[in-house]
Amino acid sequence: MVKLRLKRCGRKQHATYRIVAIDVRSRREGRDLRKVGFYDPINNQTYLNARAIVYFIERGAQPTETVRDILKKSETVQNHLEALKVFRRISTPFEKIFN
């Protein structure tokens, strides 16, 4: 199973995180399948690759609680998911992910 979770980067006392798609059995710093975003809690900066995130969610990837909160704040990912629902008429329960 694939999860969207945070991978720690940066130096001591100044952590930044990459949002990655990674196999559940891998450790936190393990090899990721793909980098799909970036989160800096100190400077409050976020970069998300909406297409890559939606790609993995469509295929069953589950975001962790922290990543889910970051995705909820992002309007671009929400809009991208809504557009896909209308365009593809997909029945994947996206509401379960963001509720």
Side-chain angles (χ1 to χ4, degrees):
M1 186 167 131
V2 176
K3 280 206 174 230
L4 297 174
R5 65 183 186 200
L6 297 175
K7 186 174 183 179
R8 186 185 161 110
C9 303
R11 58 179 197 239
K12 286 195 287 186
Q13 304 298 320
H14 190 77
T16 58
Y17 298 92
R18 287 186 184 143
I19 301 170
V20 296
I22 194 166
D23 187 29
V24 174
R25 296 168 288 182
S26 297
R27 57 192 180 151
R28 183 185 72 181
E29 306 302 325
R31 183 175 173 158
D32 52 71
L33 300 172
R34 186 168 179 189
K35 296 174 185 76
V36 296
F38 173 82
Y39 175 60
D40 185 359
I42 295 171
N43 296 328
N44 200 18
Q45 295 177 338
T46 305
Y47 166 77
L48 299 171
N49 184 347
R51 287 187 181 181
I53 292 170
V54 170
Y55 172 84
F56 281 106
I57 289 176
E58 280 182 327
R59 282 151 183 79
Q62 296 293 315
T64 59
E65 290 182 27
T66 309
V67 173
R68 189 176 339 124
D69 292 341
I70 293 170
L71 294 178
K72 278 184 185 179
K73 291 179 186 176
S74 170
E75 295 175 2
T76 56
V77 174
Q78 297 269 350
N79 294 339
H80 205 81
L81 288 172
E82 291 298 323
L84 275 178
K85 270 201 254 182
V86 172
F87 180 69
R88 293 186 182 171
R89 296 185 183 135
I90 49 181
S91 61
T92 308
F94 290 115
E95 290 81 22
K96 289 182 181 179
I97 295 172
F98 293 108
N99 290 332

